[in-house]
Amino acid sequence: MANDSPARDLSRNERLILSLIRRHGPLARTALAQRTGLSARAITNLTRKLISDGFLDPGKVVRGKVGQPSTPLALAPDGAWFLGLKLGRRLIELALVDFTGAVRMHRQEVCPFAHPDRVISFARQGIGTLTASLPAESQGRITGLGIAAPFRLWDWGDEMAPWRGRDLRAELARDLPFPVFLENDASTACAAELVFGRTPLPADFLHLYIAHFAGGGVVLDGRLRLGPRRNAGALGSLPMPDGRQLLELASVATLETRLGHALPPDDAGWNVPQAIEAEWVAEAGRALAFAAMSATALLDLSLVVLDGAVPAATRLRLTEATQHALTEMPAAGIDRPRIVEGSLGRSARMLGAAALPLSHFFQPDGKLG
């Protein structure tokens, strides 16, 4: 993997400043000093360098308040660029994301199933198009490509057998001048909430993501934990009391089976009879509550974030159903966690893919979270 990057020389303190502004919005130097524990002089020197390097934009001076005038510092949108490739069962997406986390360009392709050759062709063409859309100076500030893809794709069915033995990251990396990263798509959805989300989050929480199949992520001490096989938080595989797995109860695939047809990959085409959706939401809520309570018993969590590739109204109903199901479960010896909605919806996995190179080069420890 190539190491060259416009951010390769950033110190940990510089990365810490950038991550604080990313999470909390524009901050004055006094606020940065308070949050980091660094001296005012150190903050001044570090932020001057970040401004000079093109990563921070100084805002207008704020006057009229108690004390000296202050200048809020914000992320410079063109400071760095990231590519995010999301591989789904029937939808492939590619996004060009700026330094603030805004999607500046987006391409997608709907297909019966994502054959590896088709994915690679789509990615190569799309990366070429998106890169060419930037001025030459900005092209040199693309720090990497992140890929969000389910692991063990060949387990999805016979049509996905061509994925066995293929290395998507390596095949794409051969043609690119910047590094390529790959993680499980549910893990990247959790990473997106950590890096780009605005929901106040504790240091420890569980992230549940409902897409074609259900998945999840576990955050401990403010960091996404991937596990030795990079498969931590594989909640879709969690066994349920009735012998099934969570993915058989709380996935869009289950809802599609009841409908007898596939649902389109956008909110506008989501047309599900109320009675069918209500039944699915109630069953999914009970299964998600079991997963939430199990994780809480193991890890002493206070919060569960529930997001998914579903319309906002459906996500709200799933959240309420899960919270209700929790109240009916025995909880002697532990405190029931609070269930809140995620903030990114369908874009979470794609943004999470872009967060992989961002985290590697710009987060304080080069880690997700």
Side-chain angles (χ1 to χ4, degrees), residues 122 164 198 222 242 297 320 347 350 362:
F122 167 84
R164 190 180 293 274
R198 289 291 179 263
D242 64 2
E320 292 173 343
S347 66
M350 183 176 66
F362 292 99

Side-chain angles (χ1 to χ4, degrees), residues 26-29 51 56-62 70-75:
L27 293 171
R29 289 182 173 91
I51 291 170
L56 287 181
D57 278 340
K60 295 181 179 179
V61 176
V62 177
S70 63
T71 303
L73 302 175
L75 298 178

Side-chain angles (χ1 to χ4, degrees), residues 190-329:
C190 182
E193 191 69 52
L194 271 173
V195 176
F196 298 121
R198 289 291 179 263
T199 303
L201 298 170
D204 308 306
F205 67 92
L206 180 72
H207 189 272
L208 292 164
Y209 195 81
I210 311 304
H212 188 81
F213 294 125
V218 178
V219 174
L220 299 175
D221 299 322
R223 183 177 296 174
L224 178 62
R225 301 297 175 171
L226 298 172
R229 298 179 181 84
R230 310 194 79 76
N231 207 31
L235 295 168
S237 301
L238 186 70
M240 295 285 106
D242 64 2
R244 290 182 286 180
Q245 291 178 299
L246 178 68
L247 60 83
E248 296 177 78
L249 299 169
S251 296
V252 172
T254 303
L255 179 58
E256 290 180 336
T257 298
R258 294 182 181 182
L259 290 170
H261 62 80
L263 287 164
D266 61 81
D267 291 353
W270 187 279
N271 185 16
V272 180
Q274 184 176 356
I276 293 178
E277 182 175 282
E279 182 182 12
W280 172 73
V281 164
E283 183 178 67
R286 290 190 291 271
L288 292 168
F290 180 84
M293 193 65 88
S294 298
T296 299
L298 286 170
L299 301 171
D300 192 21
L301 304 174
S302 62
L303 185 74
V304 174
V305 179
L306 200 159
D307 208 346
V310 298
T314 303
R315 183 178 62 205
L316 174 60
R317 285 191 280 271
L318 280 168
T319 302
E320 292 173 343
T322 304
Q323 188 71 67
H324 175 72
L326 273 176
T327 65
E328 298 183 336
M329 297 184 70

Side-chain angles (χ1 to χ4, degrees), residues 157-170:
D158 293 341
E159 70 272 16
M160 303 303 279
W163 280 100
R164 190 180 293 274
R166 299 293 291 266
D167 188 337
L168 179 60
R169 192 207 66 77

Side-chain angles (χ1 to χ4, degrees), residues 16 32-39 43:
L16 177 59
L32 288 168
Q34 292 169 355
R35 290 176 183 271
T36 61
L38 298 171
S39 69
I43 289 293

Side-chain angles (χ1 to χ4, degrees), residues 150-156 164 231:
F151 290 167
R152 301 181 62 88
L153 281 162
W154 50 89
D155 284 344
W156 285 13
R164 190 180 293 274
N231 207 31

